[in-house]
Amino acid sequence: MASPSSVPRWTPSPSPGPGRPRATADDVLFPFGDIPTPPPLVNRSPRHDVQHVTEEVGNGSLVGHEVFRDAGESKQGVFLTWEDLWVSASDRKGRRASILRGITGYARPGEVLAIMGPSGCGKSTLLDALAGRLGSGVSQKGEILINAQKQKLAFGASVQSFNRSLMFFVLPSQFLDHSGEVLFLPQAYVTQEDVLMTTLTVREAVCYSAQLQLPDSMTRSEKRERAEATMREMGLEDAADTRIGGWAFKGISGGQKRRVSICIELLTRPQLLYLDKPTSGLDSAASYHVMSRIARLARREIMTVLAAVHQPSSEVFDLFHGLCLLAYGETVFFGPASTANEFFAVHAFPCPPLTNPSDHYLRTINKDFDTDLEQDPESKTRTSTAEAIEILVKSYSSSDTLQRVTREIEGIHDLGGASVKKRNQASFLVQTLVLTRRSFVNMYRDLGYYWLRFAIYIALCLCVGTIYFDVGHGAMAYYLVGLQRGADHFIYFALVLFMCMMLVEGLMMMVASVVPDFLMGIITGAGIQGVMMLNGGFFRLPRDLPGPVWRYPMYYVAFHKYANQGFYKNEFLGLTFPNEQARGPPTVTGEEILRDIWQVEMGYSKWIDLAILLGMVVLYRLMFLVTLKILEKVKSMA
């Protein structure tokens, strides 16, 4: 069993630039060339080992630091391949439009693959297809394999993501049980849009993510230290205590929000990392530092990184190991980023001296502005962009470059690998407590959630209370209008209101999960509530409702029925009222009014009505969960 000192380590080489050759196969752990077998990083024992690692920092100097790794950790990495991948979507007329056409490629551990091309070329679609995130209206065909196997990925957060780190990321990216089974093998996806809670500070957002996603085998202090180290790595120390910010108040900048999103995903040291426009909103310096740290992390953690990028600077472009260049759904080039210049030059499109290669590639294959170029007299002697794309696509499809890609994929398939298994996260109880605490913090700081509601409710109560001031008993308010003053009556009144609020929130959660648009969701939710209100026994008495549909089942489905009946029983029972009907007794009881006039079901107490409302609250939440699971199944089957 090898000792830590005998383990092969990556040796940094100077960053490529003018006059410097690009790193060779001996310089990096996994070059974009022949496939090596990933070396084990540490030996196995039931404890944490300390290793001294030399790293290259942004200025080219070398620094040493200690890395704590699980002694049982053995990382092979994730090999991702895709062959003859087609993706299409339906247009408004029901016709299928191809977005990707026969794309073939691969991504390997320890490397960063850049997916580039003009807007609308299919970069994000390719990333979504490889990650299993295509929408229900989009279909795909082709073979996507992970470690030469068909596997279903389990993402930690796309939708909210999570975390890790300790002093330049020091804890293991996998946790193994005593049998050696991988328990913690996350994949992560950084979306193009930043989905962050605006009321939280940067530190809170990252720390909450760490507590939610990291396993219970880590202590709270270890999770926090990991979050702090990740923020340092992304250059967020100065903004750590600043709120993310939104419409109500200004917070961090757009570029910092982008780095927070990346930071949250990097916490878990995902074996497979998808980045959709990771440098959007960042200046050139920040783009370089973020991407260089991601590339360094990919080498150290044997992480497979795929990044859809718009137009990187030459320094950022030099960080990419592989390049997938797309033009309107077709492959223009796939291979080592360092050989793209040669490919373009051989086919009569050489990169001019002192020009950023990525600028040249995108300018060559972007036909969005061909109309403007046609008006230029000098452009008549040049090859049009459409012709250039056709030449390059045909040249690539018949080139040795494509044959090398095919051989690489065959080699990856021969190499095989372990199945990617779902990681071990925090327990359900821990997640519940963390989410509850985070929700309280968010709601307390959100101007509209508590405080605007509070002000509106006070205003409404004052309006109702003064309009019906001292009217006596059956009025919908409380002390201002003279309802029963017993503490138990008031508590019941407040509980029913709270249950109704919870029910409305549960209903709108279900609507929001099905209806994607905000305005459509509000209209749909209001419509459902309106139907329930009309059948709740207030606007029309229960026995007057038409039997089919409106009374059975709608009257019993509407939660307003049980809320109204609870309010009625809470106020009328135990009281006696003067009888205004001729030839009747001088007084009438509240129970008689409820039974004979309001047609309230008197076979059970008001507490049963409250219990039914509580049961409906739980049911609505369960229905929301089932709806989410069904939608996930539908999307995965599409």
Side-chain angles (χ1 to χ4, degrees):
M1 196 174 293
S3 64
S5 60
S6 64
V7 175
R9 306 301 281 172
W10 168 75
T11 304
S13 61
S15 300
R20 289 182 178 176
R22 180 174 278 277
T24 65
D26 296 329
D27 292 327
V28 293
L29 185 60
F30 288 112
F32 221 88
D34 294 336
I35 303 173
T37 301
L41 293 185
V42 293
N43 66 350
R44 295 178 178 269
S45 70
R47 62 182 180 82
H48 288 280
D49 282 343
V50 181
Q51 304 173 33
H52 189 80
V53 178
T54 302
E55 286 286 352
E56 181 184 14
V57 296
N59 58 9
S61 60
L62 302 180
V63 297
H65 60 272
E66 289 184 341
V67 175
F68 296 84
R69 292 193 183 276
D70 189 345
E73 180 183 0
S74 176
K75 291 196 283 187
Q76 177 190 10
V78 173
F79 293 83
L80 180 65
T81 62
W82 56 97
E83 297 182 81
D84 197 25
L85 181 62
W86 291 73
V87 176
S88 60
S90 298
D91 59 16
R92 293 183 178 179
K93 297 182 179 179
R95 297 174 299 191
R96 304 298 297 183
S98 295
I99 304 175
L100 297 178
R101 302 170 186 157
I103 306 297
T104 297
Y106 60 91
R108 306 193 322 184
E111 299 180 344
V112 179
L113 173 67
I115 303 173
M116 290 176 51
S119 297
C121 71
K123 299 187 296 294
S124 296
T125 301
L126 175 57
L127 212 61
D128 288 341
L130 298 177
R133 291 168 53 93
L134 290 176
S136 56
V138 183
S139 61
Q140 73 176 60
K141 60 180 180 178
E143 189 173 58
I144 301 175
L145 301 179
I146 299 171
N147 287 345
Q149 303 176 40
K150 287 188 176 180
Q151 301 184 41
K152 190 173 181 179
L153 296 178
F155 285 88
S158 64
V159 192
Q160 195 87 354
S161 44
F162 312 102
N163 327 258
R164 109 190 240 188
S165 101
L166 257 169
M167 183 96 182
F168 267 83
F169 307 114
V170 293
L171 285 177
S173 60
Q174 296 180 142
F175 292 86
L176 289 83
D177 63 5
H178 296 295
S179 66
E181 180 184 1
V182 178
L183 297 178
F184 185 52
L185 187 57
Q187 297 83 38
Y189 192 111
V190 179
T191 59
Q192 185 174 356
E193 298 82 16
D194 298 314
V195 184
L196 301 168
M197 281 192 172
T198 60
T199 57
L200 300 180
T201 66
V202 172
R203 176 174 283 112
E204 288 170 339
V206 178
C207 287
Y208 279 132
S209 295
Q211 294 174 38
L212 284 169
Q213 199 71 350
L214 295 176
D216 291 335
S217 58
M218 296 180 64
T219 65
R220 188 183 181 93
S221 61
E222 286 176 333
K223 292 180 181 181
R224 186 173 183 84
E225 191 172 356
R226 181 172 296 182
E228 293 290 340
T230 309
M231 287 189 291
R232 289 196 297 270
E233 188 74 4
M234 287 293 107
L236 293 168
E237 307 99 311
D238 294 338
D241 295 316
T242 304
R243 291 191 190 181
I244 292 170
W247 66 270
F249 52 86
K250 174 146 178 66
I252 60 177
S253 67
Q256 288 172 323
K257 289 180 182 178
R258 184 94 282 241
R259 280 185 277 164
V260 172
S261 297
I262 297 173
C263 178
I264 287 175
E265 296 293 349
L266 286 177
L267 284 168
T268 52
R269 286 304 184 282
Q271 295 258 291
L272 189 55
L273 176 63
Y274 299 92
L275 301 168
D276 193 5
K277 317 295 190 307
T279 57
S280 295
L282 301 179
D283 56 50
S284 58
S287 298
Y288 172 75
H289 287 298
V290 168
M291 289 308 301
S292 65
R293 289 167 182 178
I294 291 174
R296 186 169 67 237
L297 185 63
R299 283 195 302 267
R300 187 168 68 235
E301 297 292 334
I302 315 184
M303 216 163 60
T304 306
V305 181
L306 297 89
V309 292
H310 262 309
Q311 196 159 353
S313 64
S314 57
E315 291 81 6
V316 172
F317 184 80
D318 283 337
L319 297 171
F320 300 139
H321 300 88
L323 174 63
C324 177
L325 192 59
L326 302 177
Y328 306 98
E330 297 185 284
T331 304
V332 172
F333 173 82
F334 187 97
S338 58
T339 63
N341 257 346
E342 180 183 354
F343 176 82
F344 271 73
V346 166
H347 297 96
F349 300 100
C351 180
L354 304 178
T355 300
N356 180 0
S358 62
D359 290 343
H360 172 67
Y361 304 151
L362 296 180
R363 189 163 53 242
T364 303
I365 61 175
N366 190 341
K367 62 181 180 181
D368 291 344
F369 303 98
D370 269 3
T371 304
D372 296 339
L373 294 175
E374 289 172 0
Q375 298 174 1
D376 184 2
E378 296 182 2
S379 66
K380 295 180 180 179
T381 60
R382 301 174 186 170
T383 304
S384 69
T385 305
E387 293 172 334
I389 294 173
E390 184 179 1
I391 292 171
L392 291 169
V393 169
K394 287 183 177 180
S395 300
Y396 172 76
S397 62
S398 59
S399 67
D400 293 337
T401 305
L402 178 57
Q403 295 178 16
R404 283 196 295 270
V405 172
T406 304
R407 289 196 299 271
E408 294 283 351
I409 293 176
E410 291 173 353
I412 292 174
H413 292 174
D414 293 338
L415 184 66
S419 298
V420 177
K421 299 182 181 180
K422 188 176 181 180
R423 61 191 164 168
N424 188 26
Q425 301 177 352
S427 66
F428 175 78
L429 178 60
V430 171
Q431 289 185 337
T432 301
L433 292 175
V434 172
L435 287 173
T436 302
R437 184 166 62 250
R438 187 181 71 174
S439 180
F440 273 116
V441 172
N442 176 53
M443 291 186 294
Y444 174 77
R445 294 177 181 172
D446 192 329
L447 179 64
Y449 200 92
Y450 276 153
W451 312 116
L452 187 58
R453 272 188 183 186
F454 187 62
I456 290 175
Y457 289 164
I458 288 179
L460 287 174
C461 288
L462 289 174
C463 291
V464 174
T466 51
I467 289 174
Y468 295 97
F469 180 72
D470 204 22
V471 75
H473 304 289
M476 290 296 177
Y478 217 81
Y479 291 116
L480 278 175
V481 299
L483 298 185
Q484 294 202 49
R485 296 181 177 273
D488 57 332
H489 289 275
F490 178 75
I491 292 173
Y492 184 88
F493 183 88
L495 285 174
V496 172
L497 286 179
F498 181 73
M499 290 300 170
C500 290
M501 183 187 72
M502 295 286 287
L503 280 165
V504 172
E505 288 186 348
L507 172 64
M508 294 308 295
M509 286 164 63
M510 282 192 292
V511 171
S513 65
V514 177
V515 182
D517 183 71
F518 176 73
L519 181 59
M520 289 176 59
I522 292 178
I523 295 172
T524 304
I528 296 173
Q529 281 225 72
V531 172
M532 288 186 176
M533 290 172 64
L534 291 174
N535 295 278
F538 181 81
F539 291 98
R540 192 163 193 194
L541 294 176
R543 294 171 196 163
D544 297 335
L545 289 172
V549 181
W550 301 118
R551 187 170 185 187
Y552 306 103
M554 289 304 300
Y555 173 64
Y556 293 93
V557 170
F559 67 86
H560 303 75
K561 165 189 183 301
Y562 308 100
N564 288 336
Q565 288 194 159
F567 283 138
Y568 291 155
K569 294 174 184 177
N570 187 53
E571 177 60 23
F572 280 82
L573 290 181
L575 297 180
T576 301
F577 302 89
N579 188 4
E580 297 179 354
Q581 296 181 351
R583 300 179 182 178
T587 61
V588 61
T589 65
E591 182 176 355
E592 290 175 326
I593 293 175
L594 294 180
R595 184 181 60 247
D596 301 332
I597 299 178
W598 289 105
Q599 301 176 11
V600 174
E601 298 172 5
M602 301 301 296
Y604 51 87
S605 72
K606 65 181 181 180
W607 298 104
I608 299 298
D609 287 303
L610 182 63
I612 293 174
L613 290 174
L614 177 59
M616 294 181 76
V617 169
V618 176
L619 179 63
Y620 276 31
R621 259 55 177 186
L622 292 176
M623 290 173 63
F624 170 62
L625 179 61
V626 171
T627 303
L628 287 181
K629 294 298 180 184
I630 291 175
L631 290 174
E632 288 179 3
K633 290 289 184 182
V634 171
K635 289 181 179 179
S636 64
M637 292 170 58

